[in-house]
Amino acid sequence: MKKVISIALAVLIVFFFASAGLAAEDSLTAVQQEVNQTNDQLHELIETAKEEARDIHDTYLSGEIQESAYRTGITSIAKRLIQETQELVNETRLFAVSHGVRVKCYRVMVDLAFIKISIDPLIVCDD
């Protein structure tokens, strides 16, 4: 009887560690998918901001708006891009932490007419 109980206990322990390993792999996959989705959204936001900045820049060069309106418009686009991207990054970082996975940012420089800003896409850390 002791042998049967010992074998049953050993089987339970193996199943426990196997399921924990699978759960960790599921968490890593979920975080990687979330990071990929966030980075895609960041890319879209960057491209939209660049287009808007080009439009304002072209309008300024054509003489349709004054320099103050031009500078205000580009600055507004840059501020909005920084705020929206930071919100996305923060949400994804919290998601990763809740799954026990570490992510970090890397810097991408974005030119918006006369302003250069740094945006922080994410990567999953494998350590």
Side-chain angles (χ1 to χ4, degrees), residues 45-59 73-74 76-78 80-81 84 112:
L45 289 171
I46 290 168
E47 290 306 310
T48 299
K50 284 181 172 182
E51 287 176 24
E52 291 172 354
R54 273 192 300 270
D55 290 345
I56 291 174
H57 183 74
D58 291 346
T59 304
I74 299 297
S76 175
I77 292 168
R80 187 184 75 234
L81 179 60
E84 290 174 348
L112 300 174

Side-chain angles (χ1 to χ4, degrees), residues 38 83-96 105 122:
T38 297
Q83 179 182 356
E84 290 174 348
T85 57
Q86 198 58 51
E87 287 172 4
L88 282 171
V89 166
N90 289 342
E91 288 174 15
T92 302
R93 284 180 128 173
L94 288 174
F95 179 81
C105 296
L122 297 165

Side-chain angles (χ1 to χ4, degrees), residues 15-69:
F15 281 133
F16 173 76
F17 284 112
S19 65
L22 290 174
E25 186 64 32
D26 288 344
S27 289
L28 182 61
T29 300
V31 170
Q32 186 62 59
Q33 289 173 346
E34 186 72 18
V35 164
N36 291 342
Q37 182 179 19
T38 297
N39 286 341
D40 288 346
Q41 290 173 317
L42 293 175
H43 179 74
E44 288 176 22
L45 289 171
I46 290 168
E47 290 306 310
T48 299
K50 284 181 172 182
E51 287 176 24
E52 291 172 354
R54 273 192 300 270
D55 290 345
I56 291 174
H57 183 74
D58 291 346
T59 304
Y60 170 67
L61 291 178
S62 71
E64 295 178 42
I65 60 173
Q66 294 182 350
E67 185 175 354
S68 62

